[in-house]
Amino acid sequence: MTDTLSPATTGATGRRAPSAGNLLPIIGVVVAAVAVVLPILVDDFAFNYLMSYTVITCILALTMHLLMGLAGVFSLGQAAMFGAGAYAAVVIIGQTGIDGTLGLFLVAAVGAVIGILMGLVTLRTTDLYLALTTLAFGYIVENLVRNSDWLGGPQGITGFDITFAGSYLDEPKLLYWVGLGFLYLLIVIIMSVRRSKVGRALMATRESPIAARSIGIDTRRYKLLAFGVAGAFAAVAGGLYTAYALVVDPSVFGIDLTLSVLAIAIVGGLRSMPGIIVVAIVLTYFRNSAETFGASQYVLLIYGLLIVLTLRFLPQGLGGLLTSPRVLAATRSIRARFHGGTQ
Amino acid sequence: MIRSRKFAITALAVLGVTALAGCAQPADTGDGGDGDKATFKFAVVAEETGNYAGYGTQLVAGVKAAVKDINAAGDYNFTLEPVIYDCQSDQAICVQKTRQAITSDELPVVMGPIVSVNIVPSAEVTNRAGVPHLVMAVLPALTADYDNTFRWGTQNDRSNQTVVDYVEANLKPGEDVAIVNATTDFGKGGAVIQTEQLADIGVTPALTIGHDPDQADYTPVITQLKELNPRYVLLSDSNPADVAKLLRQAKELGLESEWIGADASGSIDLAGAAAIGYKTVSPWYPTEEANSASLAEKLQAQGIEIPGWIAAMAYDATLGLAEAVATGGTTSEEIWSGLEGLSDFDGLARGDWDFSKDHMGLKSSTIATWNGTGYESVWPN
């Protein structure tokens, strides 16, 4: 799941990693299925809402994985797409009454347009400058919204209902399942893209734009594509957030959101989808339950420490551990013991 | 296959962590109850940490001080126990904690949070659930849009009217008024209301300047003000750090106008000597007057160095809640009814609480000047 252009060889011997047979993919599917029935197993209203919020965070974090981990575009404009999606959902679904089954895809379209627009404006720059221009893009969108009476100005919009298939999305189980559906869709898209020509082009662009261009890859077009897909799903996450928060105001464009998701992506591993999902779940749960651990006043300190420690000791994030030669060697060693010294 | 294996391991870890999330402990509780009496629990959702901790800690201190006094007095056949949820000044967490309070923890009434961006979604949650909600935020839309909210404080337009009344009584011919506001819901809303209310007394602001929150340098704002040198600068900004920066930079640049603004918790501390002469509009001040001094002492005992109006309002709100429970009952509907029955209710901070006509407990505010060591009341005379 960690992206690389290198062949899947591991360890000093260079042999392929040991296969676990066909059972493990089935386990993966089973786990995904269990996630679907989780709200029924844990029938708690507030907990189901927390899971919904976790799924929304996962979607947003994975858009960062797509944009930064896969395409190598260091964007800090995620909040702009998320916020645009939140407002779009309220206008399209909450105010004009279009059902979410269609409305959320329209929201995705709005997010894709915003994403591509952001890409068109910012892709003339690279690295730190690109990060800053995407951040500035977010500020511009926030300012436009904050000063727009039509969108409720600084106070935002309240008193709307987001529906999906005729039911209100303020029902947490439904919100969770809809969010999970979009999360699975995004996972499938990322996995498919990674194995496709598009994915290879994106990764080549990430590793060396000059080399990629020299072999005929239109790097700008692929980066715009990444911006568009990331924008679409970030906007859907924003749309689902309005069903969770029941209001929308300019705070959805806040830098805090982008930094929280960036922290998740860094600690999880920008290039590791499973790492990001795990860390998104752990940190969202931790943030919400921090007072239970007596740590609410240290949340930002802990986030900061995690980022520093990750960058120092695990530059590829927790997800990078999965492909670490030491971990794989240890795994092989354990397997060898279990199988009587044979691999 | 190794990818599949990694995915499966990760998915299992995800499931484990998610299941762990289901084992969340109940929220922190405040003062304990008396063993002989029934205990009435209520939710306090507050920004105890994060950007708005200055407000949330005041709220919690006010509630704890009142609960301590009520339980010690033993006037009711129940003891109070606040269940305090720290929502870390984060909108999503404030919403989540409010939901947890009224669904998982089945608490019949909610108090807080304070800041508009957090209280509005929380009120949306309680409104949909039909749970009464005690609020201190100044946003007029709160009680206008959510009939389950009971405002223990003075809403923005009434505070601004108090300021305009003061300006009308003191502004001399040839003197100007300027408005400085943050481009937030509080700031912009306040500026609009003040402009309308000034128009009603025939005063047009010589200058209205909006500024985005969290700026480091307010020199352009102060420079524009210096050119006009208005008698009064009406400040609509609830961010303590921004208020302090404006006051400090105004002092450094030699602006002589008198600033009148909201009592943003912590701004006086942050502004230091530059806050001397700053007039704030607020429903309560810690002054030398007997009730006020007594309340300030109780709040300080809860760890608040400079007690503010939020703590005082929270104290009175808790007294009012106890009375509503005693007269109405312990269910949401009964508490709602009990709160609506409060008329001419005497708190310790204010003595004129009235929820019988609408859900806005107070009709007016007061203005006081910070003299460097304490507040001096200046309006009403």
Side-chain angles (χ1 to χ4, degrees):
Chain A
M1 286 294 151
T2 302
D3 301 311
T4 174
L5 286 174
S6 311
T9 55
T10 56
T13 63
R15 285 180 296 180
R16 290 190 69 84
S19 165
N22 293 326
L23 192 61
L24 288 173
I26 296 169
I27 293 174
V29 172
V30 169
V31 169
V34 170
V36 173
V37 298
L38 208 53
I40 299 168
L41 300 175
V42 186
D43 192 13
D44 180 281
F45 194 80
F47 176 67
N48 287 340
Y49 258 116
L50 179 57
M51 289 202 301
S52 307
Y53 183 60
T54 305
V55 166
I56 292 167
T57 308
C58 283
I59 295 174
L60 192 59
L62 282 191
T63 64
M64 203 163 255
H65 162 66
L66 176 65
L67 210 47
M68 294 168 76
L70 209 56
V73 178
F74 194 71
S75 164
L76 292 178
Q78 238 63 11
M81 307 177 200
F82 180 85
Y87 274 92
V90 172
V91 172
I92 293 170
I93 305 171
Q95 293 185 335
T96 60
I98 295 172
D99 190 80
T101 43
L102 172 63
L104 282 174
F105 288 97
L106 294 176
V107 168
V110 170
V113 170
I114 296 279
I116 290 169
L117 194 62
M118 185 187 288
L120 286 171
V121 173
T122 60
L123 276 180
R124 287 181 179 278
T125 58
T126 55
D127 303 328
L128 180 62
Y129 300 102
L130 175 62
L132 291 176
T133 46
T134 52
L135 184 64
F137 189 90
Y139 280 126
I140 291 168
V141 178
E142 178 189 358
N143 229 285
L144 288 174
V145 171
R146 192 178 282 282
N147 290 290
S148 163
D149 292 337
W150 176 59
L151 293 172
Q155 197 178 314
I157 305 171
T158 58
F160 54 81
D161 282 310
I162 304 292
T163 57
F164 190 88
S167 300
Y168 292 117
L169 266 185
D170 62 359
E171 157 53 38
K173 285 179 190 166
L174 181 60
L175 179 59
Y176 171 78
W177 282 323
V178 172
L180 202 62
F182 277 101
L183 177 63
Y184 286 172
L185 180 62
L186 180 56
I187 289 172
V188 168
I189 287 174
I190 291 174
M191 289 173 75
S192 305
V193 162
R194 195 186 286 125
R195 291 170 183 159
S196 71
K197 178 188 161 191
V198 175
R200 287 191 293 275
L202 282 172
M203 285 185 267
T205 302
R206 177 190 71 199
E207 297 299 330
S208 173
I210 295 171
R213 278 197 294 273
S214 73
I215 57 171
I217 293 173
D218 186 346
T219 57
R220 183 176 166 80
R221 198 181 71 174
Y222 283 109
K223 283 182 178 177
L224 280 177
L225 178 66
F227 261 114
V229 176
F233 279 92
V236 168
L240 295 174
Y241 178 76
T242 60
Y244 168 86
L246 306 173
V247 303
V248 61
D249 60 52
S251 69
V252 291
F253 295 100
I255 182 69
D256 289 357
L257 176 75
T258 301
L259 294 181
S260 295
V261 177
L262 184 62
I264 288 169
I266 289 173
V267 176
L270 277 170
R271 297 183 183 182
S272 167
M273 187 161 64
I276 286 178
I277 292 174
V278 170
V279 172
I281 292 169
V282 171
L283 286 188
T284 305
Y285 170 67
F286 167 72
R287 183 90 201 263
N288 271 275
S289 310
E291 65 173 331
T292 309
F293 309 121
S296 48
Q297 64 269 49
Y298 307 116
V299 165
L300 292 181
L301 178 71
I302 291 167
Y303 269 54
L305 272 176
L306 280 174
I307 291 173
V308 170
L309 292 175
T310 303
L311 290 175
R312 171 64 184 83
F313 297 107
L314 295 169
Q316 298 298 319
L318 289 177
L321 276 177
L322 297 173
T323 50
S324 153
R326 284 183 186 174
V327 171
L328 290 172
T331 310
R332 271 200 305 276
S333 166
I334 292 167
R335 286 171 57 81
R337 286 184 189 176
F338 270 109
H339 293 281
T342 59
Q343 284 190 35
Chain B
M1 270 314 132
I2 191 145
R3 289 188 175 183
S4 306
R5 189 180 55 151
K6 278 180 255 167
F7 185 77
I9 291 168
T10 309
L12 279 170
V14 167
L15 203 65
V17 170
T18 313
L20 182 69
C23 306
Q25 298 296 309
D28 164 39
T29 55
D31 294 352
D34 187 326
D36 300 333
K37 296 179 178 178
T39 300
F40 175 75
K41 291 186 179 183
F42 63 101
V44 179
V45 181
E47 298 99 334
E48 281 195 285
T49 53
N51 290 344
Y52 302 112
Y55 294 119
T57 48
Q58 295 263 347
L59 168 63
V60 170
V63 170
K64 284 185 173 176
V67 165
K68 187 178 173 189
D69 287 353
I70 292 165
N71 290 345
D75 293 338
Y76 300 112
N77 62 355
F78 57 86
T79 56
L80 285 180
E81 184 178 330
V83 181
I84 297 163
Y85 303 83
D86 176 11
C87 68
Q88 301 170 44
S89 306
D90 183 285
Q91 186 184 68
I93 300 175
C94 289
V95 174
Q96 179 63 20
K97 296 295 178 187
T98 307
R99 283 200 181 103
Q100 183 185 335
I102 63 176
T103 58
S104 304
D105 299 343
E106 298 178 340
L107 300 176
V109 59
V110 175
M111 193 185 297
I114 297 295
V115 182
S116 302
V117 74
N118 299 329
I119 182 66
V120 173
S122 291
E124 188 78 41
V125 170
T126 53
N127 186 261
R128 291 180 186 219
V131 170
H133 197 151
L134 281 58
V135 300
M136 283 96 209
V138 296
L139 193 68
L142 202 54
T143 37
D145 293 348
Y146 303 105
D147 63 355
N148 65 316
T149 56
F150 294 81
R151 189 190 301 280
W152 289 83
T154 318
Q155 69 182 44
N156 218 357
D157 54 346
R158 294 184 180 185
S159 286
N160 285 320
Q161 186 60 55
T162 304
V163 172
V164 171
D165 289 346
Y166 176 78
V167 169
E168 185 180 21
N170 292 281
L171 194 70
K172 295 184 177 66
E175 292 179 335
D176 283 324
V177 176
I179 294 174
V180 174
N181 67 277
T183 52
T184 58
D185 52 350
F186 176 86
K188 286 184 80 170
V192 169
I193 293 167
Q194 284 176 341
T195 305
E196 289 170 358
Q197 291 172 339
L198 284 170
D200 291 342
I201 61 167
V203 174
T204 305
L207 186 65
T208 299
I209 314 173
H211 66 83
D212 285 337
D214 299 321
Q215 288 187 38
D217 182 16
Y218 289 99
T219 305
V221 175
I222 307 298
T223 305
Q224 286 185 71
L225 289 170
K226 274 194 79 176
E227 284 172 9
L228 281 170
N229 197 26
R231 167 84 186 275
Y232 296 113
V233 178
L234 310 188
L235 178 61
S236 280
D237 193 334
S238 60
N239 184 322
D242 285 346
V243 172
K245 279 182 270 185
L246 279 162
L247 293 177
R248 279 179 177 275
Q249 290 175 23
K251 185 99 171 174
E252 284 166 11
L253 295 172
L255 180 69
E256 292 174 352
S257 308
E258 292 178 37
W259 290 75
I260 309 176
D263 180 16
S265 289
S267 58
I268 299 282
D269 248 2
L270 291 170
I276 294 173
Y278 178 44
K279 291 182 171 57
T280 55
V281 58
S282 168
W284 179 84
Y285 294 96
T287 62
E288 296 301 319
E289 187 267 326
N291 271 3
S292 178
S294 154
L295 179 53
E297 203 172 292
K298 294 171 191 291
L299 298 173
Q300 281 165 339
Q302 295 296 329
I304 301 292
E305 199 175 330
I306 302 179
W309 67 273
I310 292 169
M313 297 300 102
Y315 186 95
D316 276 10
T318 310
L319 297 186
L321 176 61
E323 185 66 21
V325 171
T327 56
T330 56
T331 67
S332 292
E333 294 77 16
E334 289 166 344
I335 294 166
W336 189 317
S337 166
L339 286 167
E340 284 184 333
L342 292 179
S343 171
D344 291 328
F345 174 73
D346 286 338
L348 192 56
R350 294 286 295 252
D352 47 355
W353 293 104
D354 186 357
F355 294 94
S356 60
K357 298 179 187 68
D358 53 35
H359 288 190
M360 293 173 277
L362 291 178
K363 304 290 178 257
S364 65
S365 211
T366 57
I367 298 174
T369 304
W370 177 253
N371 64 13
T373 55
Y375 287 99
E376 291 171 11
S377 189
V378 296
W379 188 263
N381 288 323

